[in-house]
Amino acid sequence: MTSETRAPNHDYKDTLFLPETEFPMRGGLPQREPEWLAHWERMGLYKRLRAQSKGRKPWVLHDGPPYANGHLHIGHALNKTLKDFVVRSRQVLGYDSRYVPGWDCHGLPIEWKIEEKYREKKLDKSAVPINEFRQECRDFAAGWIDVQREEFKRLGVIGDWENPYATMKFSAEATIAREFLKFVMNGPLYRGSKPVMWSPVEKTALADAEVEYHDRVSPTIHVRFPVVRAPTGALSGADVVIWTTTPWTIPSNRGVSYGPGINYGLYEVTEAPEDNWVKVGARLALADDLAEEALTAARVGEWRRLHDLTPADFEGAILGHPFRGEPWAERFWDYEVPMLAGGFVTSDAGTGFVHNAPSHGEEDFELFAENKMLDRITYNVLEDSAFAPHLPFFAGLRILEPNGKDGKANDAVLEKLAESGKLMARGRLKHSYPHSWRSKAPVIYRNTPQWFVAMDQAIHDATPQAGLTLRQRALKTIAEDVTWTPKSAYNRMRGMIETRPDWVLSRQRAWGVPLCCFMRESVVEGVVRVELLRDEDVNARILAAFEAEGADAWFAEGAAARFLAGRPDAAQWTQVTDILDVWFDSGSTHAFVMEDREDGIWPASLYLEGTDQHRGWFQSSLLEASATRGRAPYEAVLTHGFTLDEKGQKMSKSVGNTVAPQNVIKDLGADILRLWIAQSDFTEDQRIGPKILQGAADSYRRLRNTLRYMLGALAGFEESERVEPKDMPELERWILHRLAELDQAVRTGYEAYEFQKVFAQIFNFCTTDLSAVYFDIRKDALYCDPPSSLRRRACRTVMDLLFHRLTTWLSPILCFTAEDVWLSRFPGEDQSVHLQVIPETPASWLDPELAARWEKIRAARRVVTGALEIARREKLIGASLEAAPVVRVSDAELLAALRAVDFAEICISSDLKLEEGSGAPEAFSLSEVPGVEAVFVKAEGGKCARCWRVTPEVGAQPHHDDLCRRCDEALS
């Protein structure tokens, strides 16, 4: 051997098998993610998946359609990303997992935007032909579909973006019409006049799901209704006092209700200020529990209770309207005001009496219906909330102005009540009040003729076994056919269905699918009857026209004559021009997406939306399908919470605490946004903000480092290196056991939509079991062992097994990064991790006995690393390879286990001595690892110039005297 070969301090770097990879340390996600999107576009990934998945069990998440009317917000990102987790996870589990994205295109949100343009240009909407207006709405929606499609794709959401569904497509409008006509033909559709939530700003009826509640300050008034006549003398000379927060309803009062179970008394005022609205001697009927509060509010100084009042004193009593006999009132209110027993009356607040305006309250309306008094319904409020021209004094005064602010109606009513001497007290109350979720303006209850679907009327179709009425069917199917996640969602839906009123289908707007039916009215015994035309030939003509021309055909000139052609009684039928509630549109999407498309299945595997959709899409879909098919259109329902800021506050543009997904993607990348979602418990409300996102980014960097090391360690791996598990060292077999355990957990977690749990387990495995233990231990063998080494080959075999599982496990969540990892090893235009399924993991890899033993070995390792860390801190050593600790173990079984492995290698020390016993005073120990202690001893010998182990072998090798025996042999 030459002196050059044996020269000390030789540079052996080129002889090491260091990790080699082009996978960058920094993700560069904002810049690089579009490259993978383009790669998927070029290869037609979604179509490839469908072709590749033929024959597998189909699994379909039906997309709840967002409105096509603006850029995406963080709630959209949460919703669509969760759906993507579900779709992708089902695909890697071996399903044919399909996803057709869609859009809700009709209705007020879009119509409102066009009207805003008109208002800016001072144009009159009514002067524009309706189909021209509808075309503007259609164009507006189409433009935003294109924008939102790109924004959804940028999130990494996979789906049939080339062929999405939209409720404004002609075929979809025809299907929606077909579904509506089933209600016409099967019986539950009827025209009625009852109070519905009405938006004066938008001039249309609203469904429950279109309303949100906000605090509002309303005026409160106590009003006296004089007794005109009573069945007993107990009310003689008395006034019945009501309390309300809607003074504007007083002109429409037609009754006063009492609670049969409430204790009432007659109270006489004995002392009051001279200028008081209520004078001494006034006799007032009040609930005993509320009398003091009401009299105090009226500034009454003293009073006395005269006697009890019972239901017998009220039944049949007639009161006078507060405006009765007023000179300005033109005798308009000189009608009788009956007292009625109302089960909804309580003594929780007010006076114990409720003034009834059946045109403006659901309970009042039902009470008058029960008492056969619907002929007393008033029509005093117009669509813009102005009082009708026929009302004396109040005509033209608005309840709400066009901007949603309070009009003059309440103040005018208060003025006239005070003038008439019937106002007893007034005040202000802050309470929760319904607002339109679009205009954000308050709504009112207003009696209008509308079209309803009856919840408790018999449905005449081919599925009577599902239930006779819609309510029966809906309750039956949600209990028997649907899996609810979380389980509490079932109780929520059941409660809503049990108590919900009839479904208001009609809207007085222009942009939507019309109620494409004809009606005629007749008067029978003084009652107006409404008859619906039920003609299959007419229906067929309507549907054919809609399929070819869209729903605009209904509004075209001559439409009625066209559809009624051939009927001798055509002139008797009136064309209905209202449009359908948009919830009926979206509630019908199951028909044209799940049934009409070849890639659909009915019922859908899953509906996934926010918790607010229990009263929205989940419910409208449930009702529509139950009425037409006898069951829910979904097998399972999964709900998520809402997004809040970092402080747990609701996001608001005015507050400035919103987080735009576009900005997160621009700064950090879509995978960081996806990771934030994966790390959150989506069943609850999630918080998001800069600090939280930075935490997700930190987790991502740690995970990326693990994946990068794995890729580097696999450089040049060939099948000839592969080692069978039975031939592997214990450390590798322990990793295989962990892989098998984790494989079961990932599969179970994905099946149960437990994305937070899945990611946490993968992340902990990568950062703890792999980076902190396995990679740390095996880097010496990977770098320094010869290629033929069993230990090195076994390690690289495990790395390969890790690669295929980690990439597929992570691909549903970190879709871009998993692709980056895959393509780094298997580049190619036709390559993608998303074409893979999770590899089958042999059950034989599970070895609980080995795992239990290694749990103890790792615990003992923590004791040794703890002792070496102290030595490093005290500058006794610079690295753990400079140590040769003595480890004392009191448990014989553990000692045998440690001797069965290379414990020095596991502790990354150059040498290690195992002894039986414990109690050395200088030893380091951990309370959570009893019976194990370590004493620091510095390693003796020279430092190997290649592997850096300190050993007496250095200087005694035949070829390289600055190497240890292992390294000398490796280079020889």
Side-chain angles (χ1 to χ4, degrees):
M1 176 170 287
T2 67
S3 59
E4 182 181 346
T5 309
R6 300 179 61 86
N9 302 319
H10 190 280
D11 185 0
Y12 292 104
K13 182 179 179 181
D14 291 342
T15 71
L16 296 174
F17 301 102
L18 296 175
E20 293 180 21
T21 179
E22 294 183 359
F23 187 78
M25 184 177 295
R26 293 182 177 274
L29 297 176
Q31 296 75 37
R32 300 183 67 218
E33 285 172 342
E35 297 173 11
W36 297 308
L37 288 172
H39 174 68
W40 298 335
E41 195 86 21
R42 289 192 302 271
M43 69 184 298
L45 178 59
Y46 186 80
K47 289 182 178 178
R48 284 275 301 275
L49 283 169
R50 300 289 66 77
Q52 179 177 295
S53 302
K54 282 185 178 178
R56 297 185 192 171
K57 182 179 179 180
W59 199 94
V60 178
L61 185 153
H62 180 33
D63 188 29
Y67 277 116
N69 70 333
H71 287 288
L72 305 187
H73 55 66
I74 197 67
H76 288 122
L78 169 68
N79 176 264
K80 274 294 196 290
T81 303
L82 281 173
K83 289 175 178 175
D84 198 50
F85 287 176
V86 171
V87 172
R88 290 182 184 272
S89 62
R90 280 303 195 277
Q91 186 70 34
V92 297
L93 287 174
Y95 293 90
D96 178 7
S97 184
R98 310 164 191 167
Y99 177 64
V100 177
W103 278 271
D104 215 343
C105 306
H106 296 130
L108 201 51
I110 291 166
E111 190 169 343
W112 188 253
K113 292 289 186 181
I114 304 303
E115 289 185 5
E116 282 181 346
K117 291 182 179 180
Y118 281 20
R119 285 190 287 272
E120 289 172 3
K121 297 178 182 178
K122 297 184 179 179
L123 297 175
D124 182 6
K125 171 189 170 184
S126 61
V128 179
I130 186 170
N131 276 345
E132 287 186 21
F133 178 81
R134 286 170 59 86
Q135 186 60 48
E136 288 192 63
C137 293
R138 189 180 296 277
D139 294 342
F140 179 89
W144 278 110
I145 286 176
D146 290 341
V147 171
Q148 290 188 2
R149 176 180 10 227
E150 295 309 308
E151 291 180 330
F152 283 134
K153 288 165 70 174
R154 183 61 186 86
L155 288 167
V157 178
I158 193 171
D160 193 355
W161 294 109
E162 293 182 7
N163 189 27
Y165 78 85
T167 57
M168 69 179 184
K169 285 185 177 180
F170 290 177
S171 58
E173 290 182 333
T175 301
I176 294 166
R178 183 188 71 205
E179 294 300 301
F180 167 71
L181 288 171
K182 291 179 183 179
F183 286 79
V184 173
M185 302 301 287
N186 294 343
L189 182 73
Y190 71 94
R191 187 170 184 262
S193 181
K194 62 173 64 175
V196 295
M197 279 189 284
W198 182 269
S199 171
V201 172
E202 296 148 316
K203 299 179 183 177
T204 187
L206 299 178
D208 287 348
E210 297 171 295
V211 169
E212 57 190 16
Y213 286 81
H214 301 291
D215 285 345
R216 174 175 167 82
V217 177
S218 298
T220 64
I221 53 173
H222 290 75
V223 181
R224 296 156 58 189
F225 282 68
V227 177
V228 175
R229 64 176 182 271
T232 69
L235 285 172
S236 178
D239 292 335
V240 173
V241 182
I242 66 92
W243 175 84
T244 182
T245 60
T246 53
W248 62 268
T249 59
I250 292 293
S252 299
N253 172 273
R254 295 309 302 254
V256 171
S257 52
Y258 60 91
I262 296 175
N263 295 322
Y264 294 95
L266 188 66
Y267 292 81
E268 183 179 40
V269 176
T270 58
E271 182 184 322
E274 189 172 330
D275 63 345
N276 206 35
W277 283 329
V278 182
K279 307 298 183 183
V280 173
R283 293 187 169 195
L284 309 171
L286 295 162
D288 289 333
D289 290 345
L290 299 167
E292 181 178 355
E293 181 182 337
L295 292 166
T296 301
R299 298 197 303 148
V300 173
E302 300 287 343
W303 62 83
R304 62 173 177 161
R305 188 179 190 276
L306 300 178
H307 54 74
D308 292 343
L309 293 174
T310 68
D313 299 317
F314 303 138
E315 188 176 356
I318 299 297
L319 309 180
H321 193 282
F323 298 150
R324 180 185 177 119
E326 291 298 305
W328 55 269
E330 304 174 13
R331 301 181 61 83
F332 186 86
W333 288 278
D334 286 3
Y335 49 74
E336 295 182 344
V337 176
M339 293 197 74
L340 304 170
F344 54 85
V345 182
T346 71
S347 57
D348 294 340
T351 64
F353 297 100
V354 173
H355 109 83
N356 304 131
S359 295
H360 302 293
E362 288 183 287
E363 292 173 325
D364 294 354
F365 180 89
E366 296 300 333
L367 181 65
F368 272 62
E370 290 171 13
N371 286 276
K372 302 187 185 309
M373 295 180 175
L374 290 182
D375 57 329
R376 307 187 189 196
I377 292 291
T378 64
Y379 297 91
N380 294 336
V381 178
L382 304 179
E383 63 177 12
D384 61 356
S385 85
F387 281 124
H390 63 257
L391 253 70
F393 183 78
F394 302 112
L397 298 179
R398 293 175 183 266
I399 301 161
L400 294 169
E401 296 296 336
N403 61 4
K405 303 297 183 183
D406 287 332
K408 298 179 180 179
N410 277 330
D411 288 343
V413 171
L414 287 169
E415 176 189 333
K416 287 304 180 184
L417 285 172
E419 186 181 309
S420 70
K422 299 303 187 293
L423 185 62
M424 179 169 142
R426 64 182 297 178
R428 307 283 286 175
L429 176 69
K430 185 177 182 180
H431 61 141
S432 183
Y433 190 86
H435 291 66
S436 166
W437 71 277
R438 298 185 188 95
S439 68
K440 308 303 178 186
V443 303
I444 62 175
Y445 272 92
R446 174 174 177 259
N447 181 62
T448 59
Q450 300 289 346
W451 291 92
F452 298 85
V453 170
M455 291 297 295
D456 300 301
Q457 184 174 313
I459 298 173
H460 306 291
D461 65 5
T463 58
Q465 70 279 4
L468 187 62
T469 69
L470 181 50
R471 195 183 311 277
Q472 290 172 356
R473 291 183 177 193
L475 290 172
K476 183 174 187 289
T477 189
I478 62 173
E480 298 178 3
D481 302 324
V482 182
T483 300
W484 299 88
T485 305
K487 291 182 179 179
S488 59
Y490 164 70
N491 293 329
R492 184 174 182 182
M493 182 63 86
R494 184 186 64 189
M496 289 180 173
I497 298 299
E498 286 176 341
T499 59
R500 73 155 290 142
D502 291 349
W503 186 359
V504 187
L505 278 193
S506 49
R507 296 292 183 274
Q508 291 66 50
R509 303 298 297 185
W511 174 230
V513 177
L515 280 79
C516 48
C517 60
F518 294 89
M519 55 165 278
R520 66 182 174 189
E521 293 181 336
S522 59
V523 179
V524 180
E525 297 179 356
V527 178
V528 177
R529 304 289 185 187
V530 176
E531 180 185 356
L532 280 167
L533 176 62
R534 295 184 172 91
D535 185 322
E536 294 287 7
D537 292 336
V538 171
N539 292 350
R541 284 195 286 273
I542 293 170
L543 296 179
F546 279 27
E547 191 74 43
E549 307 159 35
D552 289 0
W554 188 255
F555 300 101
E557 188 175 347
R562 173 188 183 183
F563 298 132
L564 294 173
R567 286 192 65 94
D569 60 351
Q572 299 177 18
W573 296 97
T574 300
Q575 181 182 8
V576 177
T577 57
D578 290 343
I579 65 165
L580 283 164
D581 172 15
V582 290
W583 290 109
F584 189 91
D585 282 23
S586 57
S588 301
T589 56
H590 66 90
F592 55 84
V593 180
M594 297 292 99
E595 285 184 333
D596 292 354
R597 290 178 58 128
E598 290 184 2
D599 53 0
I601 59 172
W602 203 98
S605 307
L606 183 72
Y607 276 31
L608 192 171
E609 300 297 332
T611 56
D612 58 331
Q613 295 308 313
H614 288 95
R615 65 189 184 108
W617 189 53
F618 295 155
Q619 191 171 148
S620 65
S621 300
L622 168 69
L623 296 178
E624 203 287 325
S626 294
T628 57
R629 291 155 179 80
R631 65 149 292 161
Y634 38 73
E635 293 181 333
V637 169
L638 179 64
T639 56
H640 63 78
F642 300 105
T643 50
L644 308 173
D645 70 8
E646 284 185 317
K647 297 178 181 178
Q649 301 298 312
K650 184 178 180 180
M651 291 189 183
S652 168
K653 289 183 179 178
S654 60
V655 176
N657 63 345
T658 58
V659 175
Q662 296 85 353
N663 292 338
V664 177
I665 292 170
K666 179 182 176 183
D667 295 339
L668 298 171
D671 261 0
I672 302 303
L673 193 60
R674 294 172 70 97
L675 182 51
W676 160 70
I677 294 168
Q679 289 181 313
S680 304
D681 179 2
F682 69 82
T683 62
E684 303 290 339
D685 291 344
Q686 301 89 40
R687 299 185 182 192
I688 188 173
K691 291 182 180 178
I692 292 172
L693 287 169
Q694 189 56 52
D698 291 342
S699 296
Y700 176 82
R701 277 191 288 272
R702 293 177 64 191
L703 180 63
R704 186 176 182 87
N705 286 338
T706 300
L707 298 172
R708 184 171 185 270
Y709 184 87
M710 175 185 67
L711 281 171
L714 277 168
F717 177 77
E718 297 178 356
E719 279 299 310
S720 59
E721 296 180 52
R722 193 172 298 280
V723 176
E724 289 298 316
K726 63 182 177 59
D727 299 323
M728 290 180 180
E730 273 199 13
L731 180 57
E732 275 65 33
R733 287 189 283 118
W734 170 68
I735 290 294
L736 293 186
H737 169 83
R738 289 290 294 120
L739 272 179
E741 278 188 324
L742 199 51
D743 184 71
Q744 291 179 352
V746 167
R747 291 174 186 274
T748 302
Y750 275 148
E751 287 279 4
Y753 318 115
E754 294 176 337
F755 306 115
Q756 183 188 37
K757 186 175 180 181
V758 167
F759 181 78
Q761 290 175 306
I762 296 172
F763 181 77
N764 291 335
F765 173 69
C766 286
T767 56
T768 303
D769 291 353
L770 295 183
S771 290
V773 179
Y774 184 61
F775 292 174
D776 203 28
I777 294 170
R778 277 293 182 249
K779 65 185 177 185
D780 176 75
L782 280 170
Y783 298 176
C784 302
D785 277 10
S788 60
S789 159
L790 174 66
R791 183 170 59 174
R792 187 174 190 276
R793 288 169 50 224
C795 178
R796 280 162 61 82
T797 300
V798 166
M799 290 287 193
D800 178 67
L801 298 172
L802 280 168
F803 172 88
H804 287 281
R805 282 154 185 81
L806 288 177
T807 52
T808 50
W809 288 345
L810 287 169
S811 63
I813 295 172
L814 299 177
C815 62
F816 293 107
T817 300
E819 187 74 309
D820 191 8
V821 175
W822 185 270
L823 293 178
S824 293
R825 191 175 179 201
F826 301 120
E829 279 294 301
D830 62 343
Q831 280 284 344
S832 175
V833 68
H834 302 295
L835 294 173
Q836 314 303 314
V837 296
I838 298 174
E840 291 298 322
T841 297
S844 59
W845 289 4
L846 283 169
D847 191 338
E849 184 179 334
L850 175 72
R853 184 163 67 249
W854 270 83
E855 189 68 30
K856 295 177 180 178
I857 292 172
R858 289 179 63 191
R861 180 180 188 261
R862 290 199 301 273
V863 176
V864 177
T865 54
L868 299 187
E869 181 57 34
I870 292 173
R872 190 181 355 249
R873 215 163 42 229
E874 294 177 352
K875 310 293 187 185
L876 299 176
I877 56 173
S880 62
L881 284 174
E882 297 173 28
V886 175
V887 181
R888 299 172 61 84
V889 182
S890 60
D891 182 78
E893 185 179 345
L894 176 57
L895 183 61
L898 297 179
R899 284 174 171 164
V901 296
D902 187 343
F903 196 49
E905 178 191 34
I906 291 166
C907 295
I908 316 178
S909 60
S910 289
D911 198 3
L912 183 143
K913 185 177 181 181
L914 288 165
E915 296 180 353
E916 187 172 5
S918 61
E922 73 279 19
F924 174 84
S925 63
L926 295 173
S927 59
E928 64 268 26
V929 189
V932 180
E933 58 189 35
V935 178
F936 167 71
V937 176
K938 198 162 186 176
E940 296 181 354
K943 180 179 179 180
C944 177
R946 185 168 179 267
C947 71
W948 296 358
R949 289 166 65 184
V950 177
T951 169
E953 297 172 357
V954 175
Q957 301 311 308
H959 305 105
H960 306 82
D961 60 4
D962 56 348
L963 300 185
C964 67
R965 183 177 60 191
R966 185 266 308 262
C967 290
D968 184 69
E969 291 175 353
L971 298 188
S972 300

